[in-house]
């Protein structure tokens, strides 16, 4: 069953950028639709999430 998965990470020029991309690649190779959202400031309110992430959630 294909799922839409959001990977949240604080991407920078160091190791913090590696793991979220590895997770995304693993899930994509498994047939899931994935997207990386940089930073946790979007979690304070669902109204701050980009429109593309809210599609099909209701």
């Amino acid at each position: 069953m294909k799922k839409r998965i959001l990977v949240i990470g604080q991407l920078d020029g160091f190791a913090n950028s590696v793991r979220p991309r590895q997770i995304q690649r693993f899930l994509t190779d498994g047939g899931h639709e994935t997207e990386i959202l940089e930073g946790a400031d979007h979690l304070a309110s669902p109204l701050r999430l980009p429109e593309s992430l809210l599609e099909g959630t209701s």
Side-chain angles (χ1 to χ4, degrees), residues 27 39 50-51 56:
L27 293 169
E51 277 297 319

Side-chain angles (χ1 to χ4, degrees), residues 2-53:
K2 181 179 178 178
K3 295 184 179 185
R4 291 178 63 198
I5 300 170
L6 179 63
V7 178
I8 301 170
Q10 187 65 38
L11 306 180
D12 57 21
F14 303 99
N16 291 334
S17 296
V18 174
R19 186 63 59 154
R21 289 191 178 105
Q22 288 176 336
I23 293 169
Q24 181 184 37
R25 186 175 356 201
F26 173 79
L27 293 169
T28 302
D29 289 348
H32 301 291
E33 180 183 337
T34 63
E35 188 167 339
I36 294 179
L37 177 65
E38 184 175 348
D41 55 332
H42 297 288
L43 297 177
S45 168
L47 299 177
R48 289 184 176 173
L49 287 173
E51 277 297 319
S52 62
L53 298 177

